[in-house]
Structure formats: structure tokens, C-alpha cells
Amino acid sequence: MAFQIEITTPEKLVASKQADYAEIPGKDGYLGILTGHAAMLSELGQGELKVTTGGKTESFTIAGGYLEVRDNQVRVLADSVS
Amino acid sequence: MPSLIDIRRRVRSVKNTQQITKAMKMVSAAKLRRAQDRALAARPYATMLKQMLANVAEAASQNEDGSGHPLLAVRPEKRILVVLITADSGLAGGFNANIIKVAQKFADQHRDAELTFELIGKKGINYFRKREVKITGAHTDKLRNVKFEDAEAIAQSVITRFENDEVDAVYLISNEFKTVMAPTLAQTRVLPIEVPKSSGSVDYIYEQKPEELLGSLLPRYVKLLMYRAFLESVAAEHGARMAAMDAATSNASDVIDNLTLIMNRVRQASITREIIEIVSGAAALD
């Protein structure tokens, strides 16, 4: 079982993929998200966002923004991604 | 009757113009495609942010102090800030003229309010600089390559002024891209923010308090609206220019056709005249 994660900036959709685990830099510390996570809203801080799919980990450096988790959909609205 | 050489010269000149308009049309078509792609790429973020704002606003409004955010404060509209987006260059049919007309009409309707203008794009600046209006900001060269930071900076200055109670409302007047042929003229109130309606509330876990989240989402939303308006306006500009240049090219074809017809007639007339002269000359010799 995996969940869908979408990473967007105001300018474009950076990534949209299936993931098993995501580590997201929240404003008040890192958040680990697995499949079936409860609906959640949070502000994002600065740091490394890691997405693990089938043992492979991809990472993005993000700064600021918002996070929404809902029905196995993780939406990352970052201010900037590099 | 104009001489043959004059007509030929005119045909050549019209052909040159036609080549220019044709090239401009091609360039605009390419730029339009790029602008459309960018507008499309910005859409997922916009939809998600809007949804999120709706949800958070609803959650925050259930608490007592949730609806008191300064960016939601509705005041009597005595001092209005108008943000007008035009293009930096012309030759786009009625693109600039139409939107300026809307802005002027808006100004006429709100004669008793104190109006200030924030102008984006050279054409609007040129128009309003000659008139007696208060201009607080004039931005050029932001539209060739639209960046979120540019829109953000302008939106931030607008937000600050609204928060400091310098203006009571902010309106955004700009072209929206609907179809290539006819851009839609849009006049929207940006501040105070009208919170989008949420479609069914979800019971979220809030990492931060809803009010706190709302406080940071609202300015973000204004910035996004500004950025969206930039993108839409640019796409509409290229669409309008493409349509205008297409019309100009086909008009040039018509002119060339007419001139060619006249030219042939003149040539034929002169040939006929020469034959008559020769024949009658020969007849006189007999």
C-alpha cells in the first residue's frame, strides 16, 4: 500500500508520485508520513523533504509553504523547491 | 491614373509590411503557447491552496476569534487602490485600450472615493501619467518573464498598505485569458479577501492553530491571485497580438490583390493605347 504525494510550487508541479514513506520538514519539526495517515494540515519549515518509494529515496530541499494530508493524498505546497 | 511604377512601389511596400506582421504573428503564437503552459503549470498549486484556505477558514471561523483577521476586515470603501495590469508594448489590437477603458470607467464610477493606482505595464503607465491621478507604483518589464517573486513583491506592498489602514479596498483590473480571439476583462476585489467556500469540511489535525495557519495562508492567497493575474494577462496579451497580426496579414493580402488588379488594368490600358496609336498611324499613311 502506498500513498500519492504531490509537490508543487506556485510556478509548477514538481513531483507527483506514489510513495511508501515521506519525511517532511514541518514548521515545528520533521513529520513522518506513512500510508493511512490521518487528515492533517501544517505549515512547512525549511529542510530536506524525503520521499521513499520501494526502497529508493528521493530528496528535495524545500522552504516554507503548507502541507495537507487527506485520504492518502499528501499535498506539499512549497514556497520554493530546489 | 497612377503610373505603373507607383503602383508597383506600393505593392512592394505592402508586401514588406505583410512580412513583418506575419513574423510577429508567428512569434506571438510561440509566446502564447509558452504562456499557456505556464498558466497551466500554476493551476495545481492554485486549486490546492484555494481548497486549503476554504477548509482552514471554516475551521477558524468556528473559534471565537477566527474571523477577525485584518485581511478580512470590510470597511466602507473610501480609499480604493486599483491595481491595473496592461502590456508593455502595443500592436495587440484593443488589448490595452479595452482594459484602460475599464479602469477609467471604474475611476469615473468611484469619483467620490480617494483612488490610488498601482500600475503594471508601460501602456497603462503612459495613459494614467498624463491624467490627474495618484500613482503609488509603476512597474515595467515584469511581464516578459513572469516570476512569482515579482508578483509577490507587489502583492506584499499592497497587503501592507491595506493592513496599515491606508486603503479600504483593493481592486485588480486585468485581462483574463479565455479564448485566443477575445480576452475577458476582469475586475476583481482582492482585498478584503472573499474566502472561497469549502465543499464539505474534513476533520483535520492541525499542527498549528487554525487561526495561525489562516493568518499565513491569507497573504499567500493574495500573492497567488496577483501571480495568476500576471500569467493570465501575459497569455491574453500574446493571444490578442496574434489575432491582431493575423488580421493585419490578411488585410495586407486584400490590399495587394486590389493593387495588382489596378496595376493590370493600367498596363492593359497602356497596351491598348499603343496599339490604337500604331494602327491609326498606319491608316494615316495609306
Side-chain angles (χ1 to χ4, degrees), chain B residues 263-281:
Chain B
M263 190 172 79
N264 286 338
R265 243 183 233 146
V266 170
R267 202 188 62 218
Q268 214 166 23
S270 75
I271 291 168
T272 315
R273 204 174 53 235
E274 272 171 36
I275 291 174
I276 291 172
E277 274 164 13
I278 292 165
V279 170
S280 50

Side-chain angles (χ1 to χ4, degrees), chain A residues 3-47:
Chain A
F3 60 90
Q4 179 76 21
I5 181 162
E6 283 173 4
I7 303 170
T8 61
T9 65
E11 268 144 13
K12 62 175 192 285
L13 186 68
V14 178
S16 172
K17 57 194 293 185
Q18 293 286 316
D20 301 317
Y21 173 69
E23 199 176 285
I24 296 169
K27 195 184 173 195
D28 309 318
Y30 274 82
L31 304 158
I33 291 170
L34 289 163
T35 309
H37 196 289
M40 177 176 75
L41 283 174
S42 172
E43 265 189 79
L44 296 176
Q46 280 191 358

Side-chain angles (χ1 to χ4, degrees), chain B residues 231-246:
Chain B
L231 289 177
E232 290 270 343
S233 175
V234 169
E237 178 194 339
H238 291 311
R241 181 164 300 124
M242 197 180 90
M245 287 301 125
D246 189 40

Side-chain angles (χ1 to χ4, degrees), chain B residues 185-198:
Chain B
L185 305 162
Q187 174 189 319
T188 41
R189 197 184 74 191
V190 182
L191 287 168
I193 296 170
E194 226 167 299
V195 175
K197 286 268 172 296
S198 89

Side-chain angles (χ1 to χ4, degrees), chain B residues 53-124:
Chain B
L53 179 64
N55 284 325
V56 174
E58 206 179 70
S61 67
Q62 278 157 10
N63 294 12
E64 287 299 303
D65 52 343
S67 53
H69 193 274
L71 291 184
L72 299 171
V74 180
R75 299 188 283 260
E77 297 183 358
K78 290 206 190 92
R79 293 154 301 167
I80 302 174
L81 176 67
V82 178
V83 181
L84 174 69
I85 304 179
T86 57
D88 276 331
S89 51
L91 288 178
F95 179 83
N96 291 307
N98 288 343
I99 200 71
I100 287 171
K101 221 185 280 166
V102 172
Q104 184 63 55
K105 207 172 132 204
F106 183 88
D108 292 342
Q109 279 167 356
H110 296 80
R111 214 163 260 293
D112 38 347
E114 189 190 315
L115 284 179
T116 45
F117 282 83
E118 188 86 19
L119 302 168
I120 297 144
K122 230 175 254 164
K123 288 287 158 181

Side-chain angles (χ1 to χ4, degrees), chain B residues 108-149:
Chain B
D108 292 342
Q109 279 167 356
H110 296 80
R111 214 163 260 293
D112 38 347
E114 189 190 315
L115 284 179
T116 45
F117 282 83
E118 188 86 19
L119 302 168
I120 297 144
K122 230 175 254 164
K123 288 287 158 181
I125 295 171
N126 289 344
Y127 179 88
F128 280 103
R129 207 168 38 195
K130 291 187 205 118
R131 281 160 184 77
E132 297 224 332
V133 293
K134 213 167 111 199
I135 298 169
T136 49
H139 310 270
T140 57
D141 227 21
K142 301 279 185 216
L143 299 167
R144 195 176 317 149
N145 185 11
V146 179
K147 285 200 236 52
F148 187 75
E149 292 86 67

